Amino acid sequence: MTSFMLSDTTASKISSQLTHLRHQMGSPAVGMVLTLVVVCDEGEQYDAVRAATEAAREHPSRILVVIARDPAEPNRLDAELRVGESTPGEVILLRLYGELTRHADSVVSPLLLTDTPVVAWWPRECPDVPAKDPIGALAQRRIVDARPAAEPVKVLASRTRSYVPGDTDLAWTRLTPWRSLLAAAFDQPVGKVKKGVVEAAAGHPSAPLLAAWLGERLGAPVKVTESGGPGLTRVVLSTADGDIAITRSDARLATLSRPGQPDRQVALARRPTSELIAEELRRLDPDEVYEAAIRRVSKTVRS
């Protein structure tokens, strides 16, 4: 990967240098399909860039990493350009000082790929209303994550007030394998579900989302109870024929139990952030199922 530093620069100089680097490498035309804007601080940028770069293997992207530094310093924009030789896409780290920390959109806008979608991702702290944030307003999809918050379940419940089509939360994305397994458990006829329980570590935000989704789909009460964790550990759905249960005891496998059938081991691995981002980038239209789930959560959790 070729890396190039620009100090006290501008967006136009960054664009010119990108074009020069691409020509220098003999690949001026790159089929990038979207712009991913990552808003983070210096301490988060390494992990965020690594996850975004891995996701770009599936979705070639221009990755703009916005890092706000000291607002008390004179206005300055420093940039680090990384252009891959074997991996499609570009990574541009933008370090903003002074007034630029409050006007990141003015730096980002000229660097967006034309005629392609824009996705914004906040790995940790995010705006109260992502769609009204200057960066969020540029994006068709806005990705946040309730899990790192001090009170993740309350934060998740508050998402309803700020929700705009195109918003999503990685606490929801983490549920995809669980939702797939639970749907598959009903491939063969079973009795009507009377009630359900989702067990998870205390404060795990994916648990109320999963309970909300199940309650919406099954038309039955599903509650959340605490377990020793880590994360989601068990789902039990009680039917007239017996219990349907998925129990995860480690980070890779779970046990699926169904009435009248032997237990079997199923894959249920915890996924890295890069896979979660890659999944979200596959879908750029509004997620109506997620919207229904968070609206249900907000009715059951006092935010």
Side-chain angles (χ1 to χ4, degrees):
M1 176 167 296
T2 300
S3 181
F4 193 88
M5 303 293 296
L6 292 171
S7 297
D8 197 8
T9 188
T10 64
S12 61
K13 291 179 181 178
I14 293 171
S15 295
S16 296
Q17 187 61 44
L18 280 172
T19 302
H20 174 72
L21 288 174
R22 281 293 179 192
H23 279 282
Q24 194 175 54
M25 294 170 57
S27 54
V30 178
M32 290 179 286
V33 298
L34 58 88
T35 304
L36 174 60
V37 184
V38 185
V39 184
C40 61
D41 63 27
E42 198 68 66
E44 301 159 6
Q45 65 91 2
Y46 177 81
D47 289 337
V49 169
R50 184 173 62 177
T53 303
E54 286 295 315
R57 296 182 185 276
E58 182 178 335
H59 309 276
S61 312
R62 172 171 289 179
I63 301 167
L64 304 178
V65 185
V66 179
I67 305 168
R69 299 297 297 265
D70 190 347
E73 287 199 19
N75 294 344
R76 190 173 89 246
L77 169 63
D78 294 343
E80 180 181 349
L81 284 55
R82 303 174 186 173
V83 179
E85 296 177 347
S86 57
T87 302
E90 302 165 339
V91 179
I92 307 168
L93 276 67
L94 303 166
R95 292 182 171 90
L96 284 59
Y97 298 82
E99 283 293 319
L100 287 179
T101 61
R102 290 182 281 273
H103 302 284
D105 56 315
S106 65
V107 175
V108 168
S109 295
L111 297 173
L112 300 177
L113 294 172
T114 57
D115 301 323
T116 59
V118 178
V119 179
W121 171 36
W122 292 265
R124 293 186 67 85
E125 292 187 13
C126 69
D128 292 336
V129 184
K132 291 185 178 180
D133 177 81
I135 294 294
L138 299 172
Q140 287 76 51
R141 287 282 278 178
R142 294 161 295 276
I143 305 171
V144 298
D145 192 355
R147 192 171 70 174
E151 296 184 280
V153 175
K154 282 190 175 183
V155 167
L156 184 71
S158 72
R159 297 273 192 251
T160 302
R161 294 195 297 270
S162 65
Y163 179 82
V164 172
D167 292 353
T168 194
D169 195 304
L170 293 185
W172 172 251
T173 319
R174 293 184 182 96
L175 291 175
T176 300
W178 283 88
R179 294 168 57 211
S180 297
L181 272 180
L182 287 162
F186 289 88
D187 285 347
Q188 297 181 6
V190 295
K192 179 177 174 57
V193 174
K194 298 181 291 184
K195 61 181 180 178
V197 176
V198 175
E199 298 178 9
H204 191 65
S206 295
L209 275 173
L210 184 57
W213 175 74
L214 286 167
E216 187 84 14
R217 287 291 180 265
L218 300 173
V222 181
K223 66 178 182 178
V224 176
T225 61
E226 291 184 11
S227 71
L232 289 167
T233 54
R234 194 165 190 249
V235 174
V236 181
L237 302 175
S238 300
T239 77
D241 301 329
D243 288 347
I244 299 170
I246 296 176
T247 306
R248 182 165 68 180
S249 56
D250 61 28
R252 299 180 299 106
L253 296 173
T255 301
L256 173 62
S257 305
R258 289 183 290 187
Q261 298 186 33
D263 292 353
R264 66 184 181 93
Q265 297 290 298
V266 292
L268 192 56
R270 292 189 175 91
R271 299 181 295 164
T273 303
S274 58
E275 291 188 17
L276 303 178
I277 295 298
E279 177 183 329
E280 286 300 332
L281 297 183
R282 291 182 207 122
R283 174 174 187 166
L284 298 177
D285 57 318
D287 189 342
E288 296 173 353
V289 181
Y290 164 70
E291 179 185 2
I294 60 165
R295 294 199 184 285
R296 193 176 179 99
V297 167
S298 71
K299 295 177 182 178
T300 58
V301 177
R302 181 176 296 174
S303 57

